[in-house]
Amino acid sequence: MSTRTVTAHIPVELAEQIDAAAERLERPRGWIVKQALQNWISLEERRHQMTLEALKAADEGDLVEHDVIETWVAGLE
């Protein structure tokens, strides 16, 4: 797999947290950053897919009436 270097300015405290995690896990700093980015990308892609699904459902009229939601919320108390 080919790689590419990406540079980002991050707060010192975050860099220190990355360093601490790398030391604790006995992994290179780059591994920690790569894992974090992969996880964020996966979550963001899932969030985007769920948004598209919700918009499609709304377009198709698959909605819950407001009073039904109010009744459900009142039942949570």
Side-chain angles (χ1 to χ4, degrees), residues 12-28:
V12 171
E13 183 178 333
L14 180 56
E16 290 170 349
Q17 290 172 331
I18 293 168
D19 289 342
E23 186 174 328
R24 184 178 70 252
L25 298 172
E26 298 179 357
R27 295 285 192 160

Side-chain angles (χ1 to χ4, degrees), residues 18-76:
I18 293 168
D19 289 342
E23 186 174 328
R24 184 178 70 252
L25 298 172
E26 298 179 357
R27 295 285 192 160
R29 195 179 309 145
W31 184 88
I32 301 294
V33 173
K34 181 180 170 187
Q35 292 297 310
L37 288 172
Q38 286 176 330
N39 288 337
W40 182 83
I41 291 292
S42 293
L43 287 171
E44 181 60 22
E45 287 174 350
R46 181 65 186 133
R47 183 202 63 78
H48 178 67
Q49 187 59 41
M50 290 173 70
T51 299
L52 294 177
E53 290 170 10
L55 290 171
K56 181 181 178 204
D59 287 344
E60 294 172 352
D62 186 12
L63 304 169
V64 178
E65 296 297 324
H66 183 73
D67 59 331
V68 172
I69 297 297
E70 284 185 329
T71 303
W72 175 75
V73 169
L76 296 175

